[in-house]
């Protein structure tokens, strides 16, 4: 395809972007028009992809980090023949595959959902990293970024990891169109400002006129020939390029063009040109990770083991059995115990340093390449990546997150290190699974089970040692629970998980000495929750008391309440949880101060069986 | 104080850091020892502060971004005479002011809670920015950072804002001790690597041997004389400096020294030297922001107004009445409507570009200087700042957060832009207030009311227009609710908030036509929740159905369930919420697909009054 044809393709992409937005009466055509030439040259000249086989292992990957430029993406799909014009004009309709922001839930050629800015490049780094660390993965990753989104710190976490890992298979194309949503960006058309930043982080940079297709072509060539470091192409463009009424003007973000027909005429009218995308370079044999027999670690009842330790050991065993398991950690592997995996399987361990957003993004990227990632840090610090976790669920991504140091039980380190909101955060993620084991054998089983679930899987682990209460052959289905103590005369059910399980058992024992029989349920599967067992307990005991090392909102108490939120009769309910801001203190002092230790549980239970209100 | 004395002070700070950690049997002495000389020189030679008047407006400010070096902070407090040796040795004890990580809840000289890395510098930027924009605020801000935490993207959001705002009153001191928690950092002792990054972002940089007190002194002087840009001092240091057994060695992070007595002897033993900190340069008259009569905007019943518009107008009116109100926005002020404030009060409006972490951090920083900040972006994108919000609550900070574009009701833009987890996130924050208005007059009142609350205040606004149902003189106490429809024969209560209020009213109207009387409650105060009204409704109607434009976990449904979580009898409960992953569609289609429109509510209500389970 020659220069003139590339120019024509660019115009077609603009026209089709305008048409799609006009049909929808919404969308971002001006943000699409600035990048049209960049896309035309990339897809016509450099991108290698089999649109009939999105799962081809040697396909290049494209990520639209500026996800609002979806009209451009869909116009490109039309130009390559992946969708037809009729579908293009369904943009943003109810049921259309062409959503306001592209997602892989609907379209097989989309790697990751975007639309929350600053996330596409971080995920692209994960995809490229998976490629670099595998002999079978011969692909390049191209990410189209906006200039506004470079203000997100996550971009610089990504830049740091990409350069550190020498990802010369990664190219960031920055559409520097000068205008953000509400006006000029910080740096306007100062390409040097961006180049200095990328260079400082170790990237090769190329500055280019983003509307000069030959120059853009040369820039891509330079990226392809750069070795040992990723390349950022900084392209000077004009928002709304090609249509005088909107070009380079403020106040036109996210709006269809006011006079679409005139604009299309100004761009030379409709075209039906076709881009022939090059096929992937390598053959299409997918890599087959090794599989072997899983031999999980085993502990004897009565041993004292921290669930974080059990996590580390179980993960290492899982890694031995499955070659597709990879592990990422936020520079706390000695605390989360992910370092156990690192020692045995260093080639599948990714040190992400203290950059939790990038850690989760890299996991999402690796999952697109068939990896089964486990990403671990302190539960408290996973909140740093909340928006990435949310977007991973929009993607339908399958990743495992592990949060250690949950709750006040960590002790002296104080509230900054305590995960007290993580259950609420993870439960509210659509389609998530939330697991909170209380002993080592249970942890090991759940670590293995979560690998094959759909969606976002979360495992919460604890810092301190706790008694092993289950045998190594006990099974723990996701969505299940364990009734640890019950009788026909139970007057109350204690529902606990994690560190509160031993406390609840001790409370039950103390109460038994006072002839108060209580049931104890270990609700290790916080989501999905075992409605049946909870409902039986409600019918048989009449009241449920949840005990959690978490703030009272959104956690275990809510999970139990939701089991009765369908109109059926509801038992009496009590929530014990962390209602104050903790300080430093020993773990035992912390549990007592929060009112979730055995003594506090027993005291609340006495009130409840006396049919009093629990303050 | 001469060179020799400064060296001695540094040694004293090391010895006292070791002693504090030894007394606690935990803590981070080696991370303290690397920065001891940096602190000695700063506090003895450059820092201006009245320890008897932490609220002195002309005080310099110090932020310990590497919060785990708290022993060093407390050793410094002892050296300046703010605490005594006895208190120093209460480090990390239950009830001690000297927590594992410092927080202003306990200590008046601490500006902001740290311990989640990468947050101190961002907050410091906010403090410095408040100073720069006010004639009365003559102070410098000094932030001691670790090298590991420079991997956090939030650091680069801060770097960007600080340079863009020409914060020459801000100095970042980076303790480059080469070792993170689990081993070497990415860049080790390569000071140039950090200098290149800061320079690229527009900072002045100084590289220095962090154990050469004269060189450090000159570096601080250079920072003080640098105009027009912030300064980063990159100090080469050794972790555990001064004690051979731990100096520059791996595996010793976060651990007391193995042989404390020998280490103290090696450092020359105990000292009781005193630092005389210079007094603030300016006088201590606190700035008095102007106050005037608040004239909130008023709307007539029946008008159609988006609550985000009402927010923008009310905020502008509040800004006219109160000079302490400042507004921050994440480059979406035209969407959140914060731009209305910007037009009237540009000197108190802070464009944070697309950097939500920095936006929240800057708000926290400004609040330390007596400002009443409102920080706004899409509700979905506030998840980006979750860890900052969490830490703000650890600080006891008083900030207002406003999330627009809540829920599926935004329509075509799709799930990436929909706040569907924000209520869960904000409710689980300790001490938070969560408000979700349904009409314009209610919004205006709540915008004004939230200004004077304690803790983290959250207001959720909606994109589309909704009918004004309240008169402009109606009052909406925080913690209250409004019973919009009730009768003696109500068989069910619909509990709604925001966009679901008109839907619930329409459903009630339809049901009334079928002789099914239902109560409708507008639960605009999601936290604290109006327990009394809910309990009365439960007693009188027997069942409560919550209807929310949010995922079913942690939001309105949970807020209502928690009102009954003290052992009292619980009504039948049903939660209607967003249980699927939405795509693009019109707002009406979205509400219907999610099952939270009037028709779906009525259908569920019919099942419930028939005593059936609602699927």
């Amino acid at each position: 395809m020659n220069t003139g044809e590339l120019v024509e393709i660019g115009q077609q992409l603009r026209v089709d972007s305008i048409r799609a937005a006009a049909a929808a009466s919404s969308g971002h055509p001006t943000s699409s028009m600035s990048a049209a030439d960049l896309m035309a040259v990339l897809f016509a000249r450099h991108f290698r992809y089999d649109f009939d086989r999105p799962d081809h292992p040697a396909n290049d990957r494209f990520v639209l980090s500026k996800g609002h430029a979806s009209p451009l993406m869909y116009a490109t799909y039309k130009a390559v023949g992946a969708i037809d014009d009729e579908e293009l004009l369904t943009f943003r309709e109810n049921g259309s595959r062409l959503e306001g922001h592209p997602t892989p839930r609907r379209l097989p050629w989309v790697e990751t959902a975007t639309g929350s800015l600053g996330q596409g490049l971080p995920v692209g780094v994960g995809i490229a990293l998976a490629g670099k660390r595998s002999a079978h993965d011969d692909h390049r990753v191209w990410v189209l970024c906006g200039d506004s989104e470079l203000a997100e710190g996550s971009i610089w976490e990504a830049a740091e990891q990409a350069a550190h890992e020498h990802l010369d298979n990664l190219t960031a194309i920055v559409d520097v169109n000068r205008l953000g949503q509400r006006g000029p960006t910080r740096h306007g058309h100062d390409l040097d400002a961006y180049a200095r930043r990328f260079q400082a982080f170790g990237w090769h940079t190329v500055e280019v006129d983003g509307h000069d297709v030959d120059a853009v072509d040369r820039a891509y060539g330079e990226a392809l020939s750069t070795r040992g470091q990723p390349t950022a192409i900084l392209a000077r463009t004009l928002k709304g390029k090609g249509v005088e009424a909107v070009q380079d003007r403020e106040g036109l973000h996210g709006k269809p063009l006011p006079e679409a027909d005139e604009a299309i005429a100004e761009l030379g009218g409709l075209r039906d040109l076709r881009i022939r995308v090059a096929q992937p370079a390598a053959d299409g044999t997918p890599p087959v990770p090794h599989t072997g027999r899983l031999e999980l670690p085993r502990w004897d009842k009565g041993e004292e083991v921290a669930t974080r330790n059990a996590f580390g050991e179980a993960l290492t065993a899982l890694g031995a059995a499955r070659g597709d398991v990879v592990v990422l950690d936020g520079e706390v592997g000695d605390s989360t115990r992910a370092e156990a995996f690192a020692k045995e399987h260093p080639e599948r361990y990714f040190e992400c340093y203290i950059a939790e957003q990038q850690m989760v993004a890299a996991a999402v990227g690796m999952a697109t390449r068939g990896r089964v990632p486990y990403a671990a840090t302190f539960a408290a610090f996973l909140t740093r990546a909340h928006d990435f976790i949310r977007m991973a669920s929009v993607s339908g991504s399958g990743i495992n997150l592990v949060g250690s140091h949950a709750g006040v039980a960590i002790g002296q380190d104080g509230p900054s290190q305590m995960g007290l909101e993580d259950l609420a955060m993870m439960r509210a993620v659509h389609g998530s699974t939330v697991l909170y084991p209380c002993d080592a054998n249970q942890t090991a089983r759940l670590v293995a089970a979560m690998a094959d679930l759909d969606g976002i899987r979360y495992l919460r682990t604890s810092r301190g040692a706790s008694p092993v209460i289950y045998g190594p052959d006990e099974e723990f289905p996701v969505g299940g629970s364990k009734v640890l103590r019950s009788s026909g005369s139970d007057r109350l059910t204690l529902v606990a998980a994690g560190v509160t399980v031993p406390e609840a058992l001790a409370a039950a024992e103390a109460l038994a000495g006072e002839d108060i029989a209580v049931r104890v349920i270990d609700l290790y599967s916080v989501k999905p929750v075992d409605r049946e067992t909870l409902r039986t307990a409600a019918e048989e005991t009449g009241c449920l008391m949840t005990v959690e090392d978490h703030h009272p909102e959104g956690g275990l108490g809510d999970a139990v309440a939701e089991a009765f939120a369908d109109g059926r009769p509801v038992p009496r309910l009590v929530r014990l949880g962390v209602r104050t801001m903790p300080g430093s203190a020993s773990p035992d002092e912390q549990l007592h101060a929060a009112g979730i230790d055995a003594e506090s549980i027993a005291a609340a239970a006495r009130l409840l069986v006396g049919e009093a209100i629990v303050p």
Side-chain angles (χ1 to χ4, degrees), chain A:
Chain A
M1 199 171 269
N2 63 32
T3 302
E5 290 168 324
L6 288 172
V7 169
E8 281 297 300
I9 289 280
Q11 294 294 73
Q12 172 175 318
L13 298 181
R14 289 187 177 91
V15 167
D16 283 345
S17 297
I18 293 168
R19 292 173 63 229
S25 301
S26 72
H28 299 75
T30 58
S31 304
S32 298
M33 294 159 77
S34 57
D37 300 313
L38 296 168
M39 287 290 274
V41 178
L42 179 64
F43 278 73
R45 285 273 178 84
H46 298 281
F47 193 59
R48 301 165 306 177
Y49 195 88
D50 186 343
F51 274 89
D52 296 324
R53 281 197 56 195
D55 62 344
H56 194 302
N59 274 341
D60 280 357
R61 310 291 165 191
F62 177 79
V63 176
L64 185 72
S65 196
K66 50 176 291 186
H68 54 289
S70 54
L72 175 62
M73 187 79 256
Y74 304 146
T76 304
Y77 289 154
K78 179 191 151 188
V80 303
I83 66 170
D84 60 22
D85 195 65
E86 190 181 359
E87 185 169 9
L88 177 71
L89 300 180
T90 67
F91 177 50
R92 288 174 166 245
E93 276 180 17
N94 193 4
S96 169
R97 297 195 294 176
L98 309 187
E99 292 198 31
H101 298 78
T103 127
R105 281 179 174 263
R106 303 272 177 124
L107 289 170
W109 320 292
V110 175
E111 304 296 326
T112 189
T114 50
S116 179
L117 289 169
Q119 299 208 14
L121 185 61
V123 172
V125 168
I127 303 172
L129 195 47
K132 267 283 164 187
R133 291 265 190 115
S134 162
H136 295 283
D137 250 332
D138 175 31
H139 63 253
R140 293 193 62 85
V141 181
W142 306 84
V143 181
L144 181 63
C145 297
D147 47 355
S148 278
E149 68 175 323
L150 302 190
E152 287 284 12
S154 56
I155 290 287
W156 304 103
E157 294 182 12
E160 189 77 72
Q161 186 172 37
H164 184 76
E165 300 281 357
H166 305 290
L167 299 183
D168 50 16
N169 58 342
L170 174 70
T171 305
I173 308 158
V174 186
D175 176 26
V176 186
N177 67 18
R178 185 185 78 80
L179 291 171
Q181 173 175 320
R182 49 122 283 295
T185 59
R186 265 200 187 104
H187 302 295
H189 268 139
D190 182 1
L191 299 186
D192 287 349
Y194 298 115
R196 280 195 301 275
R197 286 162 172 76
F198 276 107
Q199 286 166 16
F201 277 77
W203 288 52
H204 179 65
T205 64
V206 188
E207 298 180 32
V208 69
D209 174 351
H211 301 308
D212 177 341
V213 293
D214 290 323
V216 169
D217 187 47
R218 287 192 299 275
Y220 291 151
E222 190 172 325
L224 287 168
S225 62
T226 297
R227 293 283 172 270
Q229 60 185 156
T231 295
I233 294 172
L234 304 160
R236 185 185 192 282
T237 63
L238 298 176
K239 201 159 176 172
K241 164 74 178 177
V243 174
E244 178 61 26
V246 298
Q247 179 174 302
D248 202 31
R249 288 178 199 252
E250 294 188 34
L252 293 159
H253 181 95
K255 294 173 183 165
L257 264 59
E259 304 287 346
D261 290 343
E262 287 175 27
I264 291 166
E266 188 177 342
L267 290 164
L270 264 66
R271 295 162 182 79
D272 194 13
L273 305 171
R274 181 62 61 92
I275 298 173
R276 275 200 218 148
V277 173
Q279 289 295 300
D283 75 36
T285 313
V288 179
H290 77 263
T291 52
R293 195 180 136 73
L294 174 60
E295 305 222 26
L296 284 175
R298 301 164 68 89
W299 291 270
D300 293 329
K301 284 191 193 182
E303 284 188 72
E304 294 271 335
V305 185
T307 54
R308 61 174 170 148
N309 290 8
F311 157 70
E313 290 189 46
L315 188 64
T316 306
L318 187 68
R322 294 180 60 150
D324 55 0
V325 169
V326 296
V327 176
L328 306 93
D329 196 282
E331 223 272 292
V332 288
D334 52 337
S335 287
T336 62
R337 306 305 199 210
E339 71 173 8
F341 184 98
K343 282 175 186 154
E344 290 295 316
H345 316 292
E347 75 290 355
R348 286 184 276 138
Y349 186 79
F350 299 85
E351 178 55 70
C352 296
Y353 297 90
I354 308 180
E356 296 81 6
Q357 296 183 91
Q358 181 56 36
M359 178 181 74
V360 171
V364 170
M366 290 182 184
T368 71
R369 309 306 311 127
R371 308 300 194 278
V372 178
Y374 285 73
T377 184
F378 283 28
F381 305 145
L382 279 174
T383 57
R384 199 69 158 251
H386 189 167
D387 197 26
F388 284 78
I389 298 167
R390 181 182 75 85
M391 288 299 298
S393 87
V394 175
S395 287
S397 180
I399 59 171
N400 304 285
L401 301 173
V402 181
S404 70
H405 293 66
V408 300
I410 66 164
Q412 286 84 353
D413 268 337
S416 65
Q417 319 292 302
M418 294 171 174
L420 288 167
E421 306 84 359
D422 56 315
L423 293 177
M425 173 175 78
M426 296 304 312
R427 284 184 65 249
V429 170
H430 176 71
S432 65
T433 300
V434 178
L435 305 170
Y436 183 17
C438 69
D439 94 340
N441 286 317
Q442 190 181 49
T443 304
R445 292 286 180 145
L446 294 176
V447 167
M450 65 197 291
D452 294 315
L453 301 176
D454 288 330
I456 313 295
R457 293 87 79 158
Y458 177 55
L459 183 84
R460 186 184 216 222
T461 66
S462 300
R463 177 176 181 274
S466 57
V468 176
I469 63 171
Y470 296 110
D473 296 316
E474 184 99 20
E475 307 217 5
F476 302 95
V478 171
S481 68
K482 292 285 174 187
V483 179
L484 290 174
R485 183 176 182 124
S486 77
S487 76
S489 54
D490 291 338
R491 298 163 67 186
L492 162 68
T493 302
L494 301 176
V495 184
V499 295
T500 61
V501 170
E503 301 297 327
L505 286 170
E509 189 62 28
L511 291 164
E514 304 164 27
D515 277 339
I516 302 172
V518 304
R519 187 165 299 185
V520 178
I521 295 177
D522 169 11
L523 202 70
Y524 62 84
S525 180
V526 180
K527 181 181 173 188
V529 78
D530 183 354
R531 290 165 192 260
E532 199 165 331
T533 299
L534 292 172
R535 287 168 182 172
T536 302
E539 281 161 26
E540 296 180 0
T541 73
C543 20
L544 306 186
M545 183 188 295
T546 54
V547 192
E548 60 189 312
D549 192 357
H550 185 273
H551 286 320
E553 300 89 359
L556 202 64
D558 185 29
V560 170
E562 233 222 308
F564 298 93
D566 57 1
R568 75 182 58 231
V570 184
R572 292 167 70 211
L573 295 169
V574 172
R575 290 184 190 189
L576 302 186
V578 182
R579 295 183 186 270
T580 55
M581 178 61 70
S584 286
S586 73
D588 287 346
E589 288 168 338
Q590 298 276 13
L591 292 178
H592 185 68
I596 55 173
D597 65 341
E599 189 183 322
S600 308
I601 296 167
R606 284 183 205 105
L607 283 175
L608 196 57
V609 298
E611 305 215 348
I613 298 296
V614 177

